[in-house]
Amino acid sequence: MQRPFHGLNQIGAFKVMTNPNSPEDPRVAVESARKAFEQEFERFVRLTDASALALSLADAETEQRALADLRTRHMGKKSALAACKKLIGKVAPDERAAFGQLVQRAEAEITERVTTADETLNSLLQSARRERDRIDVTLPGRRPRQGHIHPITKLRERIEDIFVSLGYAIEDDREIETDFYNFDALNIPANHPARAPQDTFYTTEGFALRSQTSTVQIHAMQRRGVPLRMIAPGRVFRRDTPDPTHNPMFFQVEGLCVDRGITMAHLKGTVAEFLRRMFGAQTVTRFRPSYFPFTEPSAEFDFSCFKCGGSGCRICKQSGWIELGGSGMVHPNVLRIAGVDPEIYSGFAFGLGIDRMCALMYGLDDIRLLFENDIRFLEQFD
Amino acid sequence: MLISYNWLRELTGTKLTPLELRERLTMVGLAIDSVDENEGDSLLDVEVPSNRPDCLSHVGIAREVAVIEKSKVQSPKSKVPKTQGKASDFAAVEIEDPYLCSRYAARIVRGVKIGPSPDWLAKRLNEIGQRPINNVADITNYVLHELGQPLHAFDLTKLNGQKIIVRRARAGEKLQTLDGVDRVLDNEMLVIADAERPVALAGIMGGLDSEISTSTVDVLIESAYFDPDSIRRTARKLGMDTEASKRFERGADCENVVNAQARCVELICEIAGGIASEDVIDVYPRPLTARSITFRPERVESLTSLRVDVAEMDRILVALGFVEGAAAKDTKTFVVPSWRVDVSLEEDLVEEIARHVGYEHIGSELPPSAMAGEYQPAELKRRKIRRALTSLGFDEAINLSFIDPAHDEVFALAATNQLATQSSFVTLSNPILEDVTRMRPSLLPGLLQSLRHNFNQGTRDVRLFEIGRVFAGPDGDELPHESESLALILSGGASEQDRAQASRELDFYDLTGALQAAISALNLPPLVFAEAEVKHLRAGQSANISLADGTVIGSAGTLSETISAGYKFRQRVYVAELDLTAVFEIAEHEIKYTPLPRYPSVVRDVTLLVGRNVAFTELVGAIESEEIDDYQRVKLVGTYEGQNIPAQKRSVTLRVEYRSDQRTLRDEEVEERHRRLLDSLLKKFSAVLH
């Protein structure tokens, strides 16, 4: 909207040194400066209504440059207005104040109009630039697909980390073993069903595929002597036909701690600590008597169901407990075979299936998936 | 094994509810899988540990309950039968092999009336999953579940010569067992025979011929003790698993033979009528000698940390049937009851005490810290390889260690690999999966199978790696060789996370790049690839992998067309395998700081047109061997062949860097050096500038 410019008639009442109609009258100079501005500013008048504008970014930038140019010409040091200001000193003292105000008003008018136009242009430019620069910040970030570590390896590494922090050494040994390490040294009697070819794989030369990593315990005791703290994670083999809960090969971790004065309390404390770190601080562990040839006394351990917290659910078969592994005090025969005197040393051992733990932890209903290596399965474990 | 709560209550007068029993029995080592309500009774499914055959009966469980409740087992009562005549007047027993049968007791009941069992008996058997047959057979079965002693009833008149001979079967001898199956026997198997032929498979199942039938009048009740190993072997060999074999193969109670028989005979007379023989033919050539164990009470605390009063220890052991013998200073002696075949050591007594005091009363503490933890050195290296490969988009695979021998000789093994020098494969004598008999000598067959699986599931972009053991056998008595291998397989496109389309197709250089990444993660010098023929790889796109010292440790390349076609792969597949054991043996190179350059370097690009048979590494080798002053390094910019390039030629663009450590090189100095380098290259490779 165009605002009315103050007419010269408003100052007509003032006395001036010269004839008001004479071109020498300084008021005429102010008036002509004003007029000249008004004429040139005409093209920017429409800018005052920002909403009506549909200038392109390039046009707006041209306009802004033109406006800057206009400002210099009408408000700069060499402008007509600047010349008028210089006249103020030359006007008769009694009229000087009035004239000064006239010039100031004219300047204020011009300044205001230019500034308003400039602001309008600026905001127009800003929004046009934002439109030009806008990207979709929600598109997926650029990142090559990451691979995944197998869930069994993940768990195995976690188990290793926990036990290393508890002062255990990680050990491993052969996967194909003699009967001595796989059975005899573990106090498994010669007639034990586990030795039968129905349960244990044998090579044509009669060597056994280790059916538990306890074999490593014997090697480690022989290699390192006692005191000893070690865990043996690794592949083991049992002749089970694959089904949702069995594979003929699986991963196990066995632990062994032999020293003077080791008791079942240490076994309980260690397994409980491990399970708390594995399944969370609220995990409760329960030990109950059981039987294994290589431990005496023997215990199976269960942990409070991580799903229901012990109140009973499908996962824990309503018992509140989940069976996890076997353990016990190392059988004196096992210690003796490994060259350790059971009258001086005692020790505990425990073992559990990593695959089973994996199935529990991730709610796996068919462990055959573990060895199919389906990408859609593997990429679920980050 | 199913245990009836009501039956158990008759034997113990237990005040515990079924659910309380579940908890208490579980905590003494008899885990109860489930408790099911059944018509006013509860059935406890007890998981009896394999060393506790004494618990495979109601009385066995009752003994444990009595210790828990500090009560006594009430022996089942039955009426005293009418008796007449000596057993030996009606039959004779002979044991030919006392090592396989150390006791055999026979008793006769004459004039029985065979018919269905009374309701209470049939119901009880039904409840615990046993099918009632007829009164006499059911009673033997009932006593088995009550007292744990397997019994067998023969129709006396069907025993030729009224004679029982316990002997090994003759090779090829036949017997039709109660289940109607004709069994061919061998001389490892123990049978019960009459004067002419086998009439029962000792300790496993009776024969059909001498079975109790409705016409049976006189019966011979067998109660015996058979050698556990013999029963187990025979049962396994014949694929049989019966209520009787289950108990004999774990160890029956030698001293319970006559008692159980008496109970059985009493019930027969009560239910089926008849007159029992006054006595028993009890042939017991090798009587059991009771074991006695020296026991130091302080061992309980030193093994379990439990502090238990000696009086409480005695109470538990005595309640379990142990008999206290002579005591000395600090030691006691206990005689093991005949039914506890599992107890022979002091530690076993410690366990008996600990489980009845309760494992829940054992404290829980970490052992005093004494040692520093340590990883296996190789494990940390494996971890680095895994991280390097997963960050390049490879998923970790785990395959079974056994493969089909059809893969034999299809894959080349790394030459350093001990395995490659072995002629023989490791073979399983008893595979579980048909045709999967080889312990894998290479990881590639497994990965190819995984790849095929993924293709079949519609996944096209696949990158997998596996770290695992491979096997090869020395012939003879030595253990097979085991070594560790790393294998990679890739096919399809380089997929981007969260994007539908792969950014580009994967190729050979993704394979070699990944291998270098894995090696450099170990801080080892780069691998060297050289064109070589490898039998499972496509000619012209196959390379040997060697270490800096020239040892060949594996191969990498495009899978051969033949193998690819065999798997019906429709896109190119790249595979590599290397001997990780060899890699783990190389020493890491030491990291030493090099001062940063003080003067700027100048680079010059050059594009050479060379024969396609000139390898990049040859060019680099030639450049390095020139020993041009101030030469720093050369890097590949790119290669090009095709349009505007003559056939059999390839253009290679290299960027050579020059820098002096003393001053800034002048342009003309660089020019002169570069000229010299080019001249020699052009000459050496008959190349032209492009």
Side-chain angles (χ1 to χ4, degrees):
Chain A
M1 194 183 78
Q2 189 172 0
R3 288 184 212 167
F5 202 76
H6 293 294
L8 190 60
N9 55 340
Q10 286 178 282
I11 56 166
F14 288 96
K15 286 195 288 174
V16 291
M17 287 188 302
T18 50
N19 180 350
N21 296 321
S22 147
E24 300 303 305
D25 189 325
R27 282 176 301 181
V28 173
V30 173
E31 174 63 3
S32 73
R34 190 193 58 76
K35 267 200 171 132
F37 167 76
E38 199 171 357
Q39 199 172 6
E40 276 200 59
F41 189 70
E42 187 63 32
R43 61 188 289 209
F44 297 106
V45 165
R46 58 197 169 109
L47 287 175
T48 52
D49 191 351
S51 65
L53 290 174
L55 280 181
S56 72
L57 180 59
D59 287 348
E61 278 169 344
T62 312
E63 288 300 271
Q64 196 178 38
R65 277 194 299 275
L67 186 64
D69 182 51
L70 184 141
R71 185 200 290 267
T72 315
R73 273 186 288 103
H74 292 279
M75 296 171 70
K77 281 179 187 148
K78 289 175 181 167
S79 63
L81 196 64
C84 290
K85 280 193 211 166
K86 283 178 192 146
L87 285 179
I88 296 174
K90 294 175 183 163
V91 172
D94 62 332
E95 291 183 332
R96 196 174 290 160
F99 180 71
Q101 277 171 18
L102 177 76
V103 174
Q104 265 174 20
R105 262 202 308 272
E107 186 183 25
E109 289 296 327
I110 292 172
T111 307
E112 203 242 286
R113 297 190 69 178
V114 169
T115 306
T116 307
D118 192 42
E119 277 167 5
T120 309
L121 264 176
N122 262 334
S123 90
L124 174 76
L125 275 166
Q126 251 173 33
S127 80
R129 285 193 186 117
R130 187 171 62 236
E131 277 312 310
R132 181 194 62 193
D133 294 345
R134 168 171 288 153
I135 57 168
D136 183 351
V137 298
T138 69
L139 288 182
R142 195 168 288 116
R143 105 178 133 120
R145 179 186 175 279
Q146 281 285 301
H148 305 80
I149 287 180
H150 195 283
I152 286 186
T153 309
K154 261 175 65 106
L155 283 191
R156 177 179 171 158
E157 289 185 355
R158 221 167 119 192
I159 294 167
E160 290 188 7
D161 293 347
I162 292 172
F163 278 102
V164 165
S165 78
L166 291 174
Y168 285 67
I170 315 295
E171 280 277 353
D172 200 359
D173 216 287
R174 304 188 53 86
E175 287 178 7
I176 301 182
E177 273 291 0
T178 57
D179 267 10
F180 174 78
Y181 283 103
N182 202 45
F183 297 120
D184 302 347
L186 300 173
N187 198 41
I188 297 172
N191 52 25
H192 196 278
R195 290 180 180 245
Q198 279 87 347
D199 290 348
T200 297
F201 287 108
Y202 288 96
T203 68
T204 45
E205 282 72 34
F207 296 114
L209 304 200
R210 69 178 177 195
S211 44
Q212 61 279 314
T213 57
S214 325
T215 53
V216 183
Q217 299 181 1
I218 309 298
H219 285 294
M221 277 193 275
Q222 290 177 335
R223 265 200 304 264
R224 293 171 173 258
V226 289
L228 174 67
R229 284 174 202 193
M230 54 143 296
I231 63 160
R235 242 173 236 250
V236 298
F237 305 87
R238 289 187 197 167
R239 245 180 121 264
D240 287 320
T241 307
D243 69 26
T245 56
H246 294 89
N247 272 319
M249 176 191 98
F250 58 99
F251 289 77
Q252 203 189 31
V253 59
E254 295 230 346
L256 173 74
C257 169
V258 182
D259 205 338
R260 288 170 198 261
I262 294 294
T263 69
M264 284 183 91
H266 297 132
L267 165 65
K268 283 181 74 174
T270 303
V271 171
E273 176 67 20
F274 162 63
L275 293 177
R276 275 195 298 271
R277 294 198 193 185
M278 206 71 199
F279 290 97
Q282 74 296 339
T283 309
V284 180
T285 313
R286 174 176 85 165
F287 284 76
R288 53 191 167 76
S290 188
Y291 166 66
F292 305 104
F294 26 87
T295 48
E296 191 71 37
S298 299
E300 276 181 76
F301 52 91
D302 311 332
F303 69 110
S304 51
C305 179
F306 58 89
K307 189 86 183 174
C308 64
S311 56
C313 68
R314 202 179 52 85
I315 287 187
C316 59
K317 291 192 268 174
Q318 308 305 328
S319 71
W321 296 99
I322 294 180
E323 287 180 29
L324 197 59
S327 66
M329 299 304 288
V330 183
H331 198 285
N333 292 351
V334 175
L335 290 175
R336 267 185 224 109
I337 283 170
V340 178
D341 184 350
E343 288 296 314
I344 301 172
Y345 290 98
S346 55
F348 65 74
F350 58 86
L352 49 94
I354 299 177
D355 307 42
R356 176 170 160 72
M357 198 184 253
C358 190
L360 285 171
M361 217 161 197
Y362 302 117
L364 222 61
D365 50 8
D366 188 341
I367 62 166
R368 286 174 297 189
L369 284 168
L370 288 171
F371 305 137
E372 273 180 5
N373 304 313
D374 191 312
I375 303 283
R376 299 166 305 167
F377 173 77
L378 295 174
E379 65 190 2
Q380 295 181 33
F381 306 93
D382 258 326
Chain B
M1 181 190 60
L2 293 177
I3 291 289
S4 148
Y5 174 75
N6 288 347
W7 196 343
L8 199 58
R9 199 165 49 189
E10 284 169 23
L11 294 168
T12 59
T14 182
K15 293 184 178 59
L16 298 170
T17 65
L19 286 176
E20 285 166 342
L21 270 176
R22 173 186 196 169
E23 178 66 19
R24 299 295 293 273
L25 284 169
T26 297
M27 293 311 287
V28 296
L30 295 162
I32 312 284
D33 282 345
S34 61
V35 177
D36 290 318
E37 295 288 322
N38 181 53
E39 297 174 23
D41 195 1
S42 288
L43 291 168
L44 285 66
D45 189 357
V46 188
E47 198 184 300
V48 178
S50 64
N51 67 332
R52 292 295 305 275
D54 63 296
C55 285
L56 290 171
S57 67
H58 282 73
V59 160
I61 301 294
R63 275 195 290 256
E64 292 287 334
V65 173
V67 182
I68 291 169
E69 293 191 86
K70 300 192 168 74
S71 63
K72 280 206 152 52
V73 178
Q74 290 139 24
S75 299
K77 290 192 179 59
S78 40
K79 281 185 194 154
V80 180
K82 275 191 244 169
T83 57
Q84 193 189 54
K86 298 262 183 217
S88 54
D89 294 343
F90 311 106
V93 173
E94 187 189 322
I95 298 177
E96 271 187 15
D97 193 330
Y99 287 91
L100 299 190
C101 173
S102 56
R103 188 172 196 179
Y104 194 102
R107 197 165 171 193
I108 310 299
V109 184
R110 290 172 303 140
V112 297
K113 194 167 183 316
I114 304 300
S117 291
D119 284 351
W120 69 266
L121 177 54
K123 180 171 178 268
R124 214 155 241 195
L125 288 178
N126 263 323
E127 213 181 26
I128 57 168
Q130 302 295 312
R131 192 171 52 88
I133 301 161
N134 59 52
N135 49 10
V136 169
D138 291 350
I139 289 163
T140 60
N141 204 9
Y142 180 83
V143 175
L144 176 149
H145 288 279
E146 182 178 67
L147 301 177
Q149 171 66 30
L151 301 156
H152 186 66
F154 291 101
D155 186 332
L156 182 60
T157 56
K158 297 207 176 131
L159 295 177
N160 292 305
Q162 279 68 54
K163 210 169 157 105
I164 290 285
I165 303 168
V166 188
R167 62 165 170 85
R168 285 164 183 264
R170 300 185 228 296
E173 220 169 4
K174 289 197 180 74
L175 171 67
Q176 191 178 29
T177 42
L178 282 174
D179 52 9
V181 180
D182 287 313
R183 313 275 177 183
V184 182
L185 313 176
D186 64 37
N187 61 7
E188 290 289 302
M189 298 173 177
L190 190 71
V191 294
I192 310 301
D194 62 13
E196 289 170 11
R197 66 205 163 122
V199 290
L201 205 49
I204 301 174
M205 194 179 275
L208 203 58
D209 281 355
S210 54
E211 183 188 26
I212 303 296
S213 66
T214 43
S215 59
T216 302
V217 180
D218 300 338
V219 296
L220 180 148
I221 304 299
E222 165 198 292
S223 184
Y225 178 88
F226 299 110
D227 174 60
D229 293 346
S230 159
I231 300 297
R232 181 182 307 115
R233 275 196 303 271
T234 304
R236 287 267 171 136
K237 218 179 266 180
L238 297 174
M240 300 172 79
D241 181 18
T242 64
E243 292 292 326
S245 70
K246 198 178 292 173
R247 287 162 178 81
F248 282 125
E249 69 181 33
R250 291 173 201 199
D253 178 1
C254 214
E255 297 298 315
N256 195 29
V257 164
V258 172
N259 295 340
Q261 187 179 52
R263 167 76 171 153
C264 176
V265 166
E266 284 160 12
L267 283 173
I268 289 174
C269 294
E270 188 181 316
I271 291 165
I275 302 161
S277 59
E278 286 164 9
D279 63 355
V280 181
I281 305 172
D282 182 9
V283 186
Y284 195 1
R286 298 182 59 243
L288 176 90
T289 37
R291 289 182 299 279
S292 82
I293 300 173
T294 307
F295 175 66
R296 293 163 292 174
E298 89 261 9
R299 289 293 281 167
V300 172
E301 187 178 348
S302 69
L303 279 175
T304 67
S305 84
L306 282 171
R307 293 211 175 109
V308 185
D309 288 345
V310 175
E312 175 64 3
M313 294 187 195
D314 291 348
R315 180 198 73 82
I316 291 168
L317 291 177
V318 169
L320 283 166
F322 292 85
V323 177
E324 191 165 358
K329 186 176 178 291
D330 301 331
T331 65
K332 287 167 165 278
T333 308
F334 284 95
V335 179
V336 181
S338 59
W339 57 88
R340 290 303 300 271
V341 295
D342 60 314
V343 177
S344 58
L345 299 174
E346 189 179 42
E347 286 78 2
D348 297 326
L349 296 182
V350 171
E351 180 178 72
E352 292 304 299
I353 291 161
R355 70 187 178 90
H356 274 287
V357 170
Y359 282 9
E360 66 274 25
H361 293 115
I362 297 174
S364 180
E365 57 176 336
L366 288 175
S369 98
M371 270 161 269
E374 64 184 274
Y375 291 93
Q376 278 190 284
E379 177 56 23
L380 294 178
K381 294 180 182 177
R382 278 181 217 116
R383 289 188 181 193
K384 287 179 182 168
I385 293 175
R386 287 187 202 115
R387 299 296 178 282
L389 291 174
T390 50
S391 71
L392 287 174
F394 285 80
D395 291 315
E396 187 186 16
I398 297 181
N399 278 293
L400 294 182
S401 298
F402 4 86
I403 58 171
D404 191 321
H407 296 105
D408 291 357
E409 314 293 350
V410 172
F411 297 90
L413 307 173
T416 44
N417 201 326
Q418 288 174 304
L419 312 188
T421 60
Q422 298 299 324
S423 53
S424 62
F425 294 101
V426 182
T427 307
L428 294 177
S429 62
N430 56 342
I432 187 86
L433 304 167
E434 209 184 335
D435 299 333
V436 183
T437 57
R438 288 276 189 263
M439 291 305 284
R440 56 182 180 182
S442 160
L443 303 182
L444 292 178
L447 284 180
L448 286 169
Q449 192 175 321
S450 303
L451 183 69
R452 175 163 58 186
H453 171 86
N454 278 291
F455 284 168
N456 289 345
Q457 303 306 311
T459 312
R460 190 190 158 268
D461 305 327
V462 180
R463 273 177 281 188
L464 290 171
F465 76 96
E466 182 168 3
I467 294 174
R469 302 234 184 126
V470 289
F471 306 86
D475 302 310
D477 300 338
E478 273 177 73
L479 278 160
H481 291 295
E482 294 180 15
S483 71
E484 205 164 1
S485 196
L486 165 68
L488 272 59
I489 192 164
L490 57 94
S491 189
S495 30
E496 292 266 322
Q497 200 85 34
D498 306 320
R499 292 185 189 233
Q501 231 171 348
S503 51
R504 60 180 178 81
E505 284 296 289
L506 297 168
D507 63 24
F508 179 87
Y509 302 106
D510 289 288
L511 185 68
T512 51
L515 287 165
Q516 292 292 26
I519 286 296
S520 99
L522 301 182
N523 195 24
L524 297 178
L527 297 169
V528 180
F529 297 95
E531 189 177 334
E533 268 185 43
V534 178
K535 63 182 165 187
H536 60 271
L537 299 177
R538 186 175 179 138
Q541 298 187 3
S542 69
N544 269 340
I545 306 172
S546 37
L547 298 172
D549 69 0
T551 329
V552 176
I553 58 160
S555 62
T558 311
L559 188 66
S560 82
E561 284 122 313
T562 329
I563 299 178
S564 224
Y567 281 92
K568 299 197 168 62
F569 290 153
R570 282 189 302 234
Q571 58 189 47
R572 286 212 182 172
V573 174
Y574 304 91
V575 295
E577 180 164 31
L578 55 80
D579 178 8
L580 214 47
T581 306
V583 170
F584 289 159
E585 278 164 13
I586 323 168
E588 283 187 40
H589 61 65
E590 215 182 324
I591 299 178
K592 270 274 196 278
Y593 148 82
T594 312
L596 301 180
R598 297 174 58 192
Y599 301 97
S601 57
V602 180
V603 295
R604 287 280 186 276
D605 282 6
V606 54
T607 302
L608 297 168
L609 201 59
V610 294
R612 292 183 72 230
N613 58 346
V614 174
F616 170 69
T617 47
E618 285 180 71
L619 290 173
V620 173
I623 292 170
E624 312 236 294
S625 69
E626 281 302 311
E627 295 180 358
I628 303 276
D629 303 331
D630 303 319
Y631 162 82
Q632 291 295 335
R633 82 188 90 206
V634 62
K635 278 194 173 175
L636 177 72
V637 177
T639 64
Y640 180 75
E641 40 193 290
Q643 222 181 348
N644 299 330
I645 302 285
Q648 301 314 314
K649 295 279 179 194
R650 171 188 291 142
S651 97
V652 181
T653 305
L654 303 171
R655 181 164 298 171
V656 190
E657 184 183 331
Y658 299 93
R659 179 170 47 74
S660 159
D661 288 331
Q662 272 75 47
R663 62 202 161 79
T664 302
L665 291 177
R666 279 176 290 129
D667 226 27
E668 55 272 29
E669 289 176 306
V670 174
E671 211 44 57
E672 178 273 326
R673 286 157 172 72
H674 193 56
R675 190 72 248 166
R676 233 181 328 133
L677 182 67
L678 291 188
D679 287 345
S680 118
L681 288 180
L682 295 179
K683 210 161 104 195
K684 201 172 272 174
F685 296 102
S686 331
V688 288
L689 289 175
H690 190 59

